[in-house]
Amino acid sequence: MAAAVKKRSCGASSLISLICVLSLFRGGESVSRKVSRKLSVELNPGSTSTPPGGDLLHVRAVGDNDTLHFLFCSQGAPTLLLVHTNTSSSTVQVNWPQFVARNHSGSLKVEPESSVLDSTAVVFSRLLEYDDVNDTADPTSDLFPPYELQDFSWSRLNLSGPTALLCGAAATFTNGSLCLQLSVFESEGRGQSWPRLLHTANSSQLEVWLDSVLPRATRSRFLLELQAVGGAYPLSRVEVHRSIDDEFTPSIFKVSQWVSSVNGSSDVLGFVQWKPVAYRQSEPALEDATPCRHSDPRPQSGEATAAASGLIRAFYAEPETFGLNVSFGLAGDPFYNSTKFLSWTVLVGSGSPPVDSFSPLVITMMAVGLGTPTILLLLGGVCICVRKRAAASTTTYEPIN
């Protein structure tokens, strides 16, 4: 009986039904916030000295009955590796002589190896620049020789809790740098600055920015090449989801998700998620937003990726690799030279990507927009009925002589 009453209350009108459905979205978001992990941070785990060639950061995120291992490495091209295990006691073991030599697979292991459920790695492999002479934002023409990120001179990791900053430069850069900032989270939340991505305890955030680099042309635009590495199920397809809500990322109504799944099924094992927008100032503002586009993921040489990244070589025996480019700016947008700054933010996580629910502002607007016509129709119907009944009650019969 109670179920029947609840069904009637949510089905009384289209307005009430809408509010009921939207409240379920809000309820789902509040439940997911209860998921949390305990974080521990270790730089160069098991090493007794500072290793040459770059650092290895290990963030261990322990849940009730599983563990996520986030490994961020600057040995070669910057790489983030995420390993999911089915136990809260799994650990990372590094054979440092083999790891530094970068010529031996298996020098980094997550033990027990039988506890590993899945893994995903993202390699930031190349920065590309092209001269957009005709302002067409076509990256296939007038490309300069690429910047190979494995050849950059990278700083030591600068740690602040579960946040790490890595900056590097090519020999041809003049006072400029390319920086990556990794953040790992204990629970669900949202970034403080645009694009304000929604994150969970199963995800990490990487902000990438190019600052004060002298471009090789006055009309230069840039692309960033990413390579995703996995075991049996690498990130192989990009899904683009649309939304009517742009409260947290003004003017952006899409989110792109590079996902891995079992034989193309809907069950997502890992993901890379971003909003298709970059910013031309270190303090993002709407007027400094510039759209970005991605190419289709394509299979890459796993051996070439392993050669570029020390972390890939150490963990994967036979890496399956897909790569794509993210290009910044459309025709008519200001060129990089206008501000000499460009930033882009991406999430890397395990399981399904976080999904934004409707905000209270959008719920209110939809309720007002759909509710007002409904109320007017109801009032109009009531007025018509009242007038008809009043007219019927005044009708009388004349006496017959």
Side-chain angles (χ1 to χ4, degrees), residues 127-130 147 210 221-223 326-328 336 342:
L127 179 69
L128 299 102
E129 180 184 357
Y130 67 100
Y147 295 108
L210 193 64
R221 298 191 192 277
F222 284 90
L223 302 88
V326 178
S327 60
F328 306 103
Y336 173 79
L342 193 65

Side-chain angles (χ1 to χ4, degrees), residues 320-348:
E320 291 287 335
T321 306
F322 282 78
L324 59 73
N325 293 329
V326 178
S327 60
F328 306 103
L330 301 179
D333 284 350
F335 300 100
Y336 173 79
N337 206 33
S338 63
T339 60
K340 290 188 175 62
F341 186 88
L342 193 65
S343 70
W344 179 64
T345 304
V346 62
L347 291 180
V348 180

Side-chain angles (χ1 to χ4, degrees), residues 251-272:
S251 76
I252 304 300
F253 298 91
K254 297 179 183 179
V255 61
S256 300
Q257 299 175 170
W258 192 6
V259 298
S260 67
S261 59
V262 180
N263 299 325
S265 69
S266 58
D267 295 329
V268 175
L269 301 177
F271 66 89
V272 175

